[in-house]
Amino acid sequence: MRLAPAGDVPNNALPVVLLRAAIAPDPEDAPASFEETFRRNGWTGTWRNGVYPYHHYHSTAHEVLGIASGSARLCLGGEDGREVEVSAGDVLVVPAGVAHKLVEERDGFLVVGAYAGGRHWDILRPRSASLGPALDRIAAVPFPEADPVQGEDGILLRLWADALVA
């Protein structure tokens, strides 16, 4: 889904990609399934947590969110953005600049996150970040070398390449 700039939320011309049931969580260690897959495909700097309950975005990195357990409703794109439901096994790829926020979590919601190429990330909140410098940083974020789930032949690279041409 493409999200246009919305006030002080830059969003990105690259679409957010939601892969349903992309990774089968290991019943012994669900987060490890995501960490290993992401790491194998060059998405590193992994963490385990949830999603912040306020709109925020990263201007220095593309982020992948793997739903290791539970389910949630997230808002993407800022205050008037789009809400999506995610559940265990889903993977959400959020391009740099796209705001995201937890709206509601259920059943032990746990996320494994990582960043394309292990880039360092920042956390910016609408209305508190200077948009001009953030836009410059977003434009400088490199295209990922691989899809976080499917690797070099994954759908993410095709979808993002098509978005740049359109």
Side-chain angles (χ1 to χ4, degrees):
M1 87 186 66
R2 286 190 187 195
L3 298 164
D8 52 1
V9 175
N11 289 317
N12 199 312
L14 299 174
V16 173
V17 176
L18 175 56
L19 304 169
R20 298 276 185 202
I23 296 175
D26 181 335
E28 298 295 317
D29 186 358
S33 308
F34 292 87
E35 290 164 341
E36 173 55 32
T37 301
F38 297 160
R39 192 173 14 258
R40 183 175 57 245
N41 292 309
W43 291 67
T44 58
T46 58
W47 51 266
R48 298 178 182 191
N49 201 350
V51 174
Y52 293 125
Y54 53 83
H55 294 284
H56 66 284
Y57 62 92
H58 311 290
S59 70
T60 57
H62 304 304
E63 182 176 40
V64 61
L65 304 173
I67 313 308
S69 64
S71 62
R73 185 164 31 105
L74 305 176
C75 182
L76 305 172
E79 290 293 330
D80 295 320
R82 294 181 53 187
E83 291 190 358
V84 296
E85 291 283 337
V86 293
S87 59
D90 292 349
V91 171
L92 184 70
V93 184
V94 182
V98 172
H100 44 294
K101 168 190 171 179
L102 174 70
V103 176
E104 177 186 12
E105 64 182 316
R106 300 173 291 280
D107 305 320
F109 180 62
L110 178 64
V111 172
V112 172
Y115 304 93
R119 297 206 30 107
H120 295 285
W121 50 272
D122 58 0
I123 296 177
L124 300 177
R125 294 178 73 164
R127 290 185 288 280
S128 65
S130 179
L131 196 54
L135 288 171
D136 291 340
R137 289 189 302 273
I138 291 164
V141 175
F143 202 76
E145 293 183 18
D147 178 297
V149 176
Q150 301 168 338
E152 293 177 4
D153 296 325
I155 191 162
L156 175 74
L157 301 182
R158 290 190 301 275
L159 290 172
W160 282 12
D162 290 348
L164 292 177
V165 176

